[in-house]
Amino acid sequence: MPASRSVVIGVDSSTQSAKAAAVDADTGELLALGRAPHTVAGSAGARESDPEEWWTALAAAVRTAVREAGVPAASVTGIAVAGQQHGLVALGPDGRPLRPALLWNDTRSAPQAAALATRLGGPASWQDRTGSVPVAAVTAAKWQWLREHEPQHADATTGIRLPHDHLTERLSGTAVTDPGDASGTCWYGTATGAYDPDVLDLVGLDPALLPAVAPSGATRVGTLTPTAAEALGLPRTVAVAAGTGDNMAAAVGLGLGGAGLLDHPVVSLGTSGTVFAATRARPAAPGLAGFAATDGTYLPLGCTLNCTLAVDRFATLLGLDREDAAPGGDVVVLPYLDGERTPDLPHAAGLVTGLRHGTDPRAVLGAAYEGAAFTMLRALDELLAACGLDPAAPGVRDRPLRLIGGGARGRAWTETVRRLSGRPLVVPAADELVALGAAALAASAVTGSDPVALATAWGTGTGALLPPVPRDEETWNRIAAVLAAATPTLLR
Ligand SMILES: Nc1ncnc2c1ncn2[C@@H]1O[C@H](COP(=O)(O)OP(=O)(O)O)[C@@H](O)[C@H]1O
Ligand SMILES: O=C(CO)[C@@H](O)[C@H](O)COP(=O)(O)O
């Protein structure tokens, strides 16, 4: 190995774990991946994590990646964190979290979101200001929940961070966020590129509690603090980038945005199911999030609460392996075990219909995949329409759907998405697009080059093309009918 090799670390601190990719900054070669889990606690809509566990997992994952890459620590030049979006980290006067973080999938903040959405001129005005109408996921709703339910913590709060901001601050000592992750708060204006003073006023938030918003693009915010350098086993000279939200980083890893692949759809199958595309225009898409991307383009996104974990839960309940699925046939499953965000049904529970004595359990599992995939793909059609694209037009329908996230490794997931979308699929050969996108942000912070161009040159988003199969209209229509019938009574 050349002595001058420059290695960058991209961290994906997502809902269930931290993953750290050690990447050759020149070639994009993935040298090693470290992983360490952290826990999520809560029931009945509550979802919380201790940020200290995120930090411990991050440090363990980075140490593993560097060790397994077999490179000297001195060859590491940069690091960036991409984090699960929206979570509220409330800091006290000592700079430490006052309580566990309220996570994106904590639905207790649904009433606060609904109340916020009626203020400041209503949903259309929110969309115009922030890109999104408040739902339980957004940070503003979580802050309102804290103010109402734990005023002692809200009153004692001296700083508010998103998960990736918190970790970036622990690495560099700098309180900073980026436009992409900030756009998930609902107190950041995606059109103005600044915090919205009217929203901050509405939620009683002093802007001094918030981190500075770094400019779009890969920004170097500093170098590792002595404490962070020791925890990670890296030199203090390592550049720390501003980082971003996990979905924005995945877009970078796929080479979306800027000059590359605009309006190309992505489906991510992880703890959350997300659908998104990098777009040049700022689309108005009711029911979807109008996020900013890392580079000045936009990242409209639909997010479901029930994806891989919900389907895996059905497999466990049925005593099956996750790959033992058969087409659902007459069985329809709406797998809304955690409530649902898209559509906005935070109090929903799971629903199974069409059972007979002779129903094959594998069909019930297959129907769970179908229900989860339908929910995402319907959001994708809405998203494309909001971008002025007809989802069924040949030029749009033929654009390959990029399938990423842990579920993309599973055949049952791949085949279900293929059958219900009728689209060609690209499943990138690389597994960890979020960590790889973060690595591109880290490399850019070191060299000043454009991260999307860098990831494109690295080829991290490339993979085999699976040709389309005819769309399964019958299953699609059956699920749509059950969802429409159940929504007014069973799911609200
Ligand atoms: N081979 C596989 N086939 C299908 N699903 C898988 C496979 N490997 C992992 N998964 C699913 O992927 C999920 C993790 O995906 P990931 O994108 O890493 O999630 P997150 O980033 O939200 O933590 C797990 O919950 C698991 O259900
Ligand atoms: O809330 C959203 C997007 O708006 C989620 O996508 C979170 O960002 C969590 O991501 P994963 O842990 O599923 O990767």
Side-chain angles (χ1 to χ4, degrees), residues 302-387:
C303 176
T304 68
L305 295 183
N306 301 282
C307 191
T308 54
L309 290 181
V311 168
D312 284 355
R313 183 73 190 131
F314 269 87
T316 304
L317 285 172
L318 294 160
L320 297 172
D321 181 84
R322 62 158 77 101
E323 293 295 355
D324 286 339
D330 289 337
V331 183
V332 170
V333 173
L334 299 175
Y336 302 160
L337 306 186
D338 279 328
E340 194 40 275
R341 169 166 158 193
T342 314
D344 185 20
L345 298 166
H347 310 297
L351 186 73
V352 182
T353 67
L355 296 181
R356 300 278 182 198
H357 279 288
T359 298
D360 181 346
R362 294 175 307 158
V364 180
L365 178 58
Y369 278 98
E370 290 167 354
F374 166 88
T375 310
M376 280 180 269
L377 292 170
R378 203 174 67 145
L380 180 64
D381 284 353
E382 286 168 25
L383 190 150
L384 294 171
C387 295

Coordinates of all heavy atoms in Angstrom, one line a residue, residues 302-387:
G302 N -40.8 10.5 0.6 CA -41.9 9.9 1.4 C -41.3 8.9 2.3 O -40.3 8.1 1.9
C303 N -41.8 8.8 3.5 CA -41.2 7.9 4.5 C -42.2 7.1 5.2 O -43.2 7.6 5.7 CB -40.4 8.7 5.6 SG -39.7 7.7 6.9
T304 N -42.1 5.8 5.2 CA -43.0 4.9 5.9 C -42.3 4.4 7.2 O -41.1 4.2 7.3 CB -43.5 3.7 5.1 OG1 -42.4 2.8 4.9 CG2 -44.0 4.2 3.7
L305 N -43.2 4.2 8.2 CA -42.6 3.7 9.5 C -42.5 2.2 9.5 O -41.8 1.6 10.4 CB -43.6 4.1 10.6 CG -43.8 5.5 10.9 CD1 -44.7 5.7 12.1 CD2 -42.5 6.2 11.2
N306 N -43.1 1.5 8.6 CA -43.2 0.0 8.6 C -42.5 -0.6 7.4 O -43.2 -0.6 6.3 CB -44.6 -0.4 8.7 CG -45.3 0.1 10.0 OD1 -45.1 -0.4 11.1 ND2 -46.1 1.2 9.8
C307 N -41.3 -1.0 7.5 CA -40.6 -1.5 6.4 C -40.0 -2.9 6.8 O -40.7 -3.8 7.1 CB -39.6 -0.5 5.8 SG -38.9 -1.0 4.2
T308 N -38.7 -3.0 6.8 CA -38.1 -4.3 7.1 C -38.4 -4.9 8.4 O -38.6 -6.1 8.5 CB -36.5 -4.2 7.0 OG1 -36.1 -3.1 7.9 CG2 -36.1 -3.8 5.6
L309 N -38.5 -4.0 9.5 CA -38.8 -4.6 10.8 C -40.2 -5.2 10.8 O -40.5 -6.2 11.5 CB -38.6 -3.5 11.9 CG -37.2 -3.1 12.2 CD1 -37.2 -2.0 13.3 CD2 -36.3 -4.3 12.6
A310 N -41.2 -4.5 10.2 CA -42.5 -4.9 10.2 C -42.7 -6.3 9.5 O -43.3 -7.2 10.0 CB -43.5 -3.9 9.6
V311 N -42.0 -6.4 8.3 CA -42.1 -7.6 7.5 C -41.4 -8.8 8.3 O -41.9 -9.9 8.4 CB -41.5 -7.4 6.1 CG1 -41.3 -8.8 5.4 CG2 -42.4 -6.5 5.3
D312 N -40.2 -8.4 8.9 CA -39.5 -9.5 9.7 C -40.4 -9.9 10.9 O -40.4 -11.1 11.3 CB -38.2 -8.9 10.2 CG -37.1 -8.9 9.1 OD1 -37.4 -9.4 8.0 OD2 -36.0 -8.4 9.4
R313 N -41.2 -9.0 11.4 CA -42.1 -9.3 12.6 C -43.2 -10.3 12.1 O -43.5 -11.3 12.8 CB -42.7 -8.1 13.1 CG -43.6 -8.3 14.3 CD -42.7 -8.6 15.6 NE -43.6 -9.0 16.7 CZ -43.4 -10.1 17.4 NH1 -42.3 -10.9 17.2 NH2 -44.2 -10.5 18.3
F314 N -43.7 -10.1 10.9 CA -44.7 -11.0 10.4 C -44.0 -12.4 10.2 O -44.6 -13.4 10.5 CB -45.3 -10.5 9.0 CG -46.5 -9.7 9.2 CD1 -46.4 -8.3 9.5 CD2 -47.8 -10.3 9.2 CE1 -47.6 -7.6 9.7 CE2 -48.9 -9.5 9.4 CZ -48.8 -8.2 9.6
A315 N -42.8 -12.4 9.7 CA -42.1 -13.7 9.5 C -42.0 -14.4 10.8 O -42.3 -15.6 10.9 CB -40.8 -13.5 8.8
T316 N -41.6 -13.7 11.9 CA -41.5 -14.3 13.2 C -42.8 -14.8 13.7 O -42.9 -15.9 14.2 CB -40.9 -13.2 14.2 OG1 -39.7 -12.8 13.6 CG2 -40.6 -13.8 15.5
L317 N -43.9 -14.0 13.6 CA -45.2 -14.4 14.0 C -45.7 -15.7 13.3 O -46.3 -16.5 13.9 CB -46.2 -13.3 13.8 CG -46.2 -12.0 14.7 CD1 -47.1 -11.0 14.1 CD2 -46.6 -12.4 16.1
L318 N -45.3 -15.8 12.1 CA -45.7 -16.9 11.3 C -44.8 -18.1 11.4 O -45.0 -19.2 10.8 CB -45.9 -16.5 9.8 CG -47.0 -15.5 9.5 CD1 -46.7 -14.8 8.2 CD2 -48.4 -16.2 9.5
G319 N -43.7 -17.9 12.1 CA -42.7 -19.0 12.2 C -42.0 -19.3 10.9 O -41.6 -20.4 10.6
L320 N -41.8 -18.3 10.0 CA -41.2 -18.5 8.7 C -39.9 -17.7 8.6 O -39.6 -16.7 9.4 CB -42.1 -17.9 7.6 CG -43.5 -18.6 7.5 CD1 -44.3 -17.9 6.5 CD2 -43.3 -20.1 7.0
D321 N -39.0 -18.1 7.7 CA -37.9 -17.3 7.3 C -38.3 -16.2 6.5 O -39.3 -16.3 5.8 CB -36.9 -18.2 6.5 CG -35.6 -17.4 6.1 OD1 -34.7 -17.4 7.0 OD2 -35.6 -16.9 5.0
R322 N -37.6 -15.0 6.5 CA -38.1 -13.9 5.7 C -38.1 -14.1 4.2 O -38.9 -13.5 3.5 CB -37.3 -12.6 6.0 CG -35.8 -12.7 5.7 CD -35.2 -11.3 5.5 NE -35.0 -10.6 6.7 CZ -33.8 -10.5 7.3 NH1 -32.7 -11.1 6.7 NH2 -33.6 -9.8 8.4
E323 N -37.4 -15.1 3.8 CA -37.5 -15.4 2.3 C -38.5 -16.4 1.9 O -38.7 -16.7 0.8 CB -36.1 -15.9 1.8 CG -35.0 -14.9 1.9 CD -35.2 -13.7 0.9 OE1 -36.2 -13.7 0.1 OE2 -34.4 -12.7 1.0
D324 N -39.3 -16.9 2.9 CA -40.3 -18.0 2.7 C -41.6 -17.3 2.2 O -42.7 -17.8 2.6 CB -40.6 -18.8 3.9 CG -39.4 -19.8 4.2 OD1 -38.7 -20.1 3.3 OD2 -39.3 -20.2 5.4
A325 N -41.6 -16.3 1.4 CA -42.9 -15.6 1.1 C -43.4 -16.1 -0.3 O -42.6 -16.4 -1.2 CB -42.6 -14.1 1.0
A326 N -44.7 -16.1 -0.4 CA -45.4 -16.4 -1.6 C -46.3 -15.2 -1.9 O -46.7 -14.5 -1.0 CB -46.2 -17.7 -1.5
P327 N -46.7 -15.0 -3.2 CA -47.6 -13.9 -3.5 C -48.9 -13.9 -2.6 O -49.4 -15.0 -2.3 CB -48.0 -14.1 -5.0 CG -46.8 -14.8 -5.5 CD -46.3 -15.7 -4.4
G328 N -49.3 -12.8 -2.2 CA -50.4 -12.7 -1.2 C -51.8 -13.3 -1.7 O -52.6 -13.7 -0.9
G329 N -52.0 -13.2 -3.0 CA -53.3 -13.6 -3.5 C -54.4 -12.8 -2.9 O -54.3 -11.6 -2.9
D330 N -55.4 -13.5 -2.3 CA -56.6 -12.7 -1.8 C -56.2 -12.0 -0.4 O -57.0 -11.3 0.1 CB -57.7 -13.7 -1.5 CG -58.4 -14.1 -2.8 OD1 -58.2 -13.4 -3.8 OD2 -59.0 -15.2 -2.8
V331 N -55.1 -12.4 0.1 CA -54.7 -11.8 1.5 C -54.1 -10.4 1.3 O -53.3 -10.2 0.4 CB -53.7 -12.7 2.2 CG1 -53.4 -12.2 3.6 CG2 -54.2 -14.2 2.3
V332 N -54.6 -9.5 2.1 CA -54.1 -8.2 2.1 C -53.6 -7.9 3.5 O -54.3 -8.1 4.4 CB -55.1 -7.1 1.6 CG1 -54.6 -5.7 1.9 CG2 -55.4 -7.3 0.1
V333 N -52.4 -7.4 3.6 CA -51.8 -7.0 4.9 C -51.4 -5.5 4.8 O -50.7 -5.1 3.9 CB -50.6 -7.8 5.3 CG1 -49.9 -7.2 6.5 CG2 -50.9 -9.2 5.5
L334 N -52.0 -4.7 5.7 CA -51.5 -3.3 5.9 C -50.6 -3.4 7.1 O -51.1 -3.5 8.2 CB -52.6 -2.3 6.0 CG -53.6 -2.3 4.8 CD1 -54.7 -1.3 5.1 CD2 -52.8 -1.8 3.6
P335 N -49.2 -3.4 7.0 CA -48.4 -3.8 8.1 C -48.0 -2.7 9.0 O -46.9 -2.5 9.3 CB -47.1 -4.4 7.4 CG -47.1 -3.6 6.1 CD -48.5 -3.2 5.7
Y336 N -49.0 -1.9 9.4 CA -48.8 -0.6 10.1 C -48.6 -0.9 11.6 O -49.3 -0.3 12.4 CB -49.9 0.4 9.8 CG -50.1 0.7 8.3 CD1 -51.3 1.2 7.8 CD2 -49.1 0.4 7.4 CE1 -51.4 1.5 6.5 CE2 -49.2 0.7 6.0 CZ -50.4 1.2 5.6 OH -50.6 1.5 4.2
L337 N -47.7 -1.7 11.9 CA -47.5 -2.1 13.3 C -47.0 -0.9 14.2 O -47.3 -0.9 15.4 CB -46.4 -3.2 13.4 CG -46.6 -4.4 12.5 CD1 -45.6 -5.5 12.8 CD2 -48.0 -5.1 12.7
D338 N -46.4 0.0 13.6 CA -45.9 1.2 14.4 C -46.7 2.4 14.1 O -46.2 3.6 14.3 CB -44.4 1.5 14.0 CG -43.4 0.6 14.7 OD1 -43.7 0.2 15.9 OD2 -42.4 0.2 14.1
G339 N -48.0 2.3 13.8 CA -48.7 3.5 13.2 C -48.2 3.7 11.8 O -47.4 2.9 11.3
E340 N -48.5 4.8 11.2 CA -47.9 5.0 9.8 C -47.8 6.5 9.6 O -48.5 7.3 10.3 CB -48.7 4.4 8.7 CG -48.1 4.3 7.4 CD -46.6 3.9 7.4 OE1 -45.7 4.9 7.6 OE2 -46.2 2.8 7.3
R341 N -46.8 6.9 8.8 CA -46.5 8.3 8.6 C -46.9 8.7 7.1 O -47.4 9.8 6.9 CB -45.0 8.5 8.7 CG -44.4 9.8 8.2 CD -43.0 10.0 8.7 NE -42.2 10.9 8.0 CZ -40.9 11.0 8.1 NH1 -40.3 10.3 8.9 NH2 -40.3 11.9 7.3
T342 N -46.7 7.8 6.2 CA -47.2 8.0 4.8 C -47.9 6.8 4.3 O -47.3 5.8 4.1 CB -45.9 8.2 3.9 OG1 -45.0 9.1 4.5 CG2 -46.4 8.7 2.5
P343 N -49.3 6.8 4.4 CA -50.1 8.0 4.7 C -50.1 8.3 6.2 O -49.7 7.4 7.0 CB -51.5 7.4 4.3 CG -51.4 6.0 4.4 CD -50.0 5.6 4.0
D344 N -50.5 9.5 6.5 CA -50.4 10.0 7.9 C -51.5 9.4 8.8 O -52.5 10.0 9.0 CB -50.5 11.6 7.8 CG -50.2 12.2 9.2 OD1 -49.6 11.5 10.1 OD2 -50.7 13.3 9.4
L345 N -51.1 8.2 9.3 CA -52.1 7.5 10.2 C -51.3 7.1 11.4 O -51.0 5.9 11.7 CB -52.6 6.3 9.4 CG -53.4 6.5 8.2 CD1 -53.6 5.3 7.4 CD2 -54.8 7.1 8.5
P346 N -50.9 8.1 12.3 CA -50.0 7.7 13.4 C -50.6 6.7 14.4 O -49.8 6.1 15.1 CB -49.7 9.1 14.0 CG -50.8 10.0 13.6 CD -51.3 9.5 12.2
H347 N -51.9 6.6 14.5 CA -52.5 5.7 15.5 C -52.9 4.4 14.9 O -53.5 3.6 15.5 CB -53.7 6.4 16.1 CG -53.3 7.8 16.6 ND1 -52.4 8.0 17.6 CD2 -53.8 9.0 16.2 CE1 -52.3 9.3 17.8 NE2 -53.1 9.9 17.0
A348 N -52.6 4.2 13.6 CA -53.0 2.9 12.9 C -52.3 1.7 13.6 O -51.3 1.8 14.2 CB -52.6 3.0 11.4
A349 N -53.0 0.5 13.4 CA -52.3 -0.7 13.8 C -52.3 -1.6 12.5 O -52.9 -1.2 11.5 CB -53.1 -1.4 14.9
G350 N -51.7 -2.7 12.6 CA -51.6 -3.6 11.4 C -53.0 -4.2 11.1 O -53.8 -4.4 12.0
L351 N -53.2 -4.6 9.9 CA -54.5 -5.1 9.4 C -54.3 -6.3 8.5 O -53.4 -6.1 7.6 CB -55.3 -4.0 8.7 CG -56.7 -4.2 8.3 CD1 -57.6 -4.2 9.5 CD2 -57.1 -3.2 7.3
V352 N -55.0 -7.4 8.7 CA -54.9 -8.5 7.8 C -56.3 -8.9 7.3 O -57.2 -9.0 8.1 CB -54.3 -9.8 8.5 CG1 -54.1 -10.9 7.5 CG2 -52.9 -9.4 9.1
T353 N -56.5 -9.0 6.0 CA -57.8 -9.4 5.5 C -57.7 -10.5 4.5 O -56.6 -10.7 4.0 CB -58.5 -8.2 4.8 OG1 -57.8 -7.9 3.6 CG2 -58.6 -7.0 5.6
G354 N -58.8 -11.2 4.2 CA -58.8 -12.2 3.2 C -58.4 -13.6 3.6 O -58.1 -14.4 2.8
L355 N -58.3 -13.8 4.9 CA -57.9 -15.2 5.4 C -59.0 -16.2 5.2 O -60.2 -16.0 5.4 CB -57.5 -15.1 6.9 CG -56.4 -14.2 7.3 CD1 -56.1 -14.3 8.8 CD2 -55.1 -14.6 6.6
R356 N -58.6 -17.4 4.9 CA -59.4 -18.6 4.8 C -58.8 -19.8 5.6 O -57.6 -19.7 5.9 CB -59.6 -19.1 3.3 CG -60.2 -18.0 2.4 CD -61.7 -18.1 2.5 NE -62.3 -17.1 1.6 CZ -63.5 -16.6 1.7 NH1 -64.3 -17.0 2.7 NH2 -64.0 -15.8 0.8
H357 N -59.6 -20.8 5.8 CA -59.0 -22.0 6.5 C -57.7 -22.5 5.7 O -56.7 -22.9 6.3 CB -60.0 -23.2 6.6 CG -60.9 -23.0 7.7 ND1 -60.6 -23.1 9.0 CD2 -62.2 -22.6 7.7 CE1 -61.6 -22.9 9.8 NE2 -62.7 -22.6 9.0
G358 N -57.8 -22.4 4.4 CA -56.7 -23.0 3.6 C -55.6 -22.0 3.3 O -54.7 -22.4 2.6
T359 N -55.6 -20.8 3.9 CA -54.6 -19.8 3.6 C -53.2 -20.3 3.9 O -53.0 -20.8 5.1 CB -54.9 -18.5 4.3 OG1 -56.1 -18.0 3.8 CG2 -53.8 -17.5 4.0
D360 N -52.3 -20.2 3.0 CA -50.9 -20.6 3.2 C -50.2 -19.5 4.0 O -50.2 -18.3 3.5 CB -50.3 -20.8 1.8 CG -48.8 -21.2 1.9 OD1 -48.2 -21.1 3.0 OD2 -48.3 -21.6 0.8
P361 N -49.6 -19.8 5.1 CA -48.9 -18.7 5.9 C -47.9 -18.0 5.0 O -47.6 -16.8 5.3 CB -48.2 -19.5 7.0 CG -48.9 -20.8 7.1 CD -49.5 -21.1 5.8
R362 N -47.3 -18.6 4.0 CA -46.3 -17.9 3.2 C -47.0 -16.8 2.4 O -46.4 -15.8 2.1 CB -45.7 -18.9 2.2 CG -44.8 -19.9 3.0 CD -44.2 -20.9 2.0 NE -45.3 -21.6 1.2 CZ -45.1 -22.1 0.0 NH1 -43.9 -22.2 -0.5 NH2 -46.2 -22.6 -0.6
A363 N -48.3 -17.0 2.1 CA -49.0 -15.9 1.4 C -49.3 -14.7 2.3 O -49.3 -13.6 1.9 CB -50.4 -16.4 0.9
V364 N -49.5 -15.0 3.6 CA -49.7 -13.9 4.6 C -48.4 -13.1 4.7 O -48.4 -11.9 4.7 CB -50.1 -14.5 6.0 CG1 -50.3 -13.3 7.0 CG2 -51.3 -15.3 5.9
L365 N -47.2 -13.8 4.7 CA -45.9 -13.1 4.7 C -45.7 -12.3 3.4 O -45.4 -11.1 3.4 CB -44.8 -14.1 4.9 CG -43.4 -13.5 4.9 CD1 -43.2 -12.5 6.0 CD2 -42.3 -14.6 5.1
G366 N -46.1 -12.9 2.3 CA -46.0 -12.2 1.0 C -46.8 -11.0 1.0 O -46.4 -10.0 0.4
A367 N -48.0 -11.1 1.6 CA -48.9 -9.9 1.6 C -48.4 -8.8 2.5 O -48.6 -7.6 2.2 CB -50.3 -10.4 2.1
A368 N -47.6 -9.2 3.5 CA -46.9 -8.2 4.3 C -45.9 -7.4 3.5 O -45.8 -6.2 3.5 CB -46.3 -8.8 5.6
Y369 N -45.1 -8.1 2.7 CA -44.2 -7.5 1.8 C -44.9 -6.5 0.8 O -44.6 -5.4 0.6 CB -43.4 -8.5 1.0 CG -42.2 -9.1 1.6 CD1 -42.3 -10.4 2.2 CD2 -41.0 -8.5 1.6 CE1 -41.2 -11.0 2.8 CE2 -39.8 -9.1 2.1 CZ -40.0 -10.4 2.7 OH -38.8 -11.0 3.3
E370 N -46.0 -7.1 0.3 CA -46.8 -6.3 -0.7 C -47.4 -5.1 -0.1 O -47.3 -4.0 -0.7 CB -47.9 -7.2 -1.3 CG -47.4 -8.3 -2.2 CD -48.5 -9.4 -2.5 OE1 -49.6 -9.3 -2.0 OE2 -48.2 -10.3 -3.3
G371 N -47.9 -5.2 1.1 CA -48.5 -4.0 1.8 C -47.5 -2.9 2.0 O -47.7 -1.7 1.8
A372 N -46.3 -3.4 2.5 CA -45.2 -2.4 2.8 C -44.7 -1.8 1.5 O -44.5 -0.5 1.4 CB -44.1 -3.1 3.5
A373 N -44.5 -2.6 0.4 CA -44.0 -2.1 -0.8 C -45.0 -1.2 -1.5 O -44.7 -0.1 -2.0 CB -43.7 -3.2 -1.8
F374 N -46.3 -1.5 -1.4 CA -47.4 -0.7 -2.0 C -47.4 0.7 -1.4 O -47.4 1.7 -2.1 CB -48.7 -1.4 -1.8 CG -49.9 -0.5 -2.0 CD1 -50.5 -0.3 -3.3 CD2 -50.5 0.3 -1.0 CE1 -51.6 0.5 -3.5 CE2 -51.5 1.2 -1.2 CZ -52.1 1.3 -2.4
T375 N -47.2 0.7 -0.1 CA -47.3 2.0 0.6 C -46.2 2.9 0.1 O -46.4 4.1 -0.1 CB -47.2 1.8 2.2 OG1 -48.2 0.8 2.5 CG2 -47.5 3.0 2.9
M376 N -45.0 2.4 0.0 CA -43.8 3.2 -0.5 C -44.0 3.5 -2.0 O -43.8 4.7 -2.4 CB -42.5 2.3 -0.4 CG -42.0 2.3 1.0 SD -40.5 1.4 1.0 CE -41.1 -0.2 1.4
L377 N -44.5 2.6 -2.8 CA -44.6 2.9 -4.3 C -45.7 3.8 -4.6 O -45.6 4.6 -5.5 CB -44.7 1.5 -5.0 CG -43.5 0.6 -5.0 CD1 -43.8 -0.7 -5.5 CD2 -42.3 1.3 -5.7
R378 N -46.7 3.8 -3.8 CA -47.8 4.8 -4.0 C -47.3 6.2 -3.7 O -47.5 7.2 -4.4 CB -49.0 4.5 -3.1 CG -50.3 5.1 -3.7 CD -51.5 4.7 -3.0 NE -51.4 5.2 -1.6 CZ -52.5 5.6 -0.9 NH1 -53.7 5.4 -1.5 NH2 -52.4 6.0 0.3
A379 N -46.5 6.3 -2.6 CA -45.9 7.6 -2.2 C -44.9 8.0 -3.4 O -44.8 9.2 -3.7 CB -45.1 7.5 -0.9
L380 N -44.2 7.1 -4.0 CA -43.3 7.4 -5.1 C -44.1 8.0 -6.3 O -43.6 9.0 -6.9 CB -42.5 6.2 -5.5 CG -41.5 6.4 -6.6 CD1 -40.4 7.4 -6.2 CD2 -40.9 5.1 -7.1
D381 N -45.2 7.4 -6.6 CA -46.0 8.0 -7.7 C -46.5 9.4 -7.3 O -46.4 10.3 -8.2 CB -47.3 7.1 -7.9 CG -46.9 5.8 -8.7 OD1 -45.7 5.7 -9.1 OD2 -47.8 4.9 -8.8
E382 N -46.9 9.6 -6.1 CA -47.3 11.0 -5.7 C -46.1 12.0 -5.8 O -46.2 13.1 -6.3 CB -47.7 11.0 -4.2 CG -49.1 10.4 -4.0 CD -49.4 10.1 -2.6 OE1 -48.8 10.8 -1.7 OE2 -50.2 9.2 -2.3
L383 N -44.9 11.5 -5.4 CA -43.7 12.3 -5.5 C -43.4 12.7 -6.9 O -43.1 13.9 -7.2 CB -42.6 11.5 -4.8 CG -41.3 12.2 -4.5 CD1 -40.7 11.6 -3.3 CD2 -40.3 12.1 -5.6
L384 N -43.4 11.7 -7.8 CA -43.1 12.0 -9.2 C -44.1 13.0 -9.8 O -43.7 13.9 -10.5 CB -43.0 10.7 -10.0 CG -41.9 9.7 -9.6 CD1 -42.0 8.4 -10.3 CD2 -40.5 10.4 -9.9
A385 N -45.3 12.8 -9.4 CA -46.4 13.7 -10.0 C -46.1 15.1 -9.4 O -46.3 16.1 -10.2 CB -47.8 13.2 -9.5
A386 N -45.7 15.2 -8.2 CA -45.5 16.5 -7.6 C -44.3 17.2 -8.2 O -44.1 18.4 -8.2 CB -45.3 16.4 -6.1
C387 N -43.4 16.4 -8.9 CA -42.3 17.0 -9.6 C -42.6 17.2 -11.0 O -41.7 17.5 -11.8 CB -41.1 16.0 -9.5 SG -40.4 15.7 -7.9

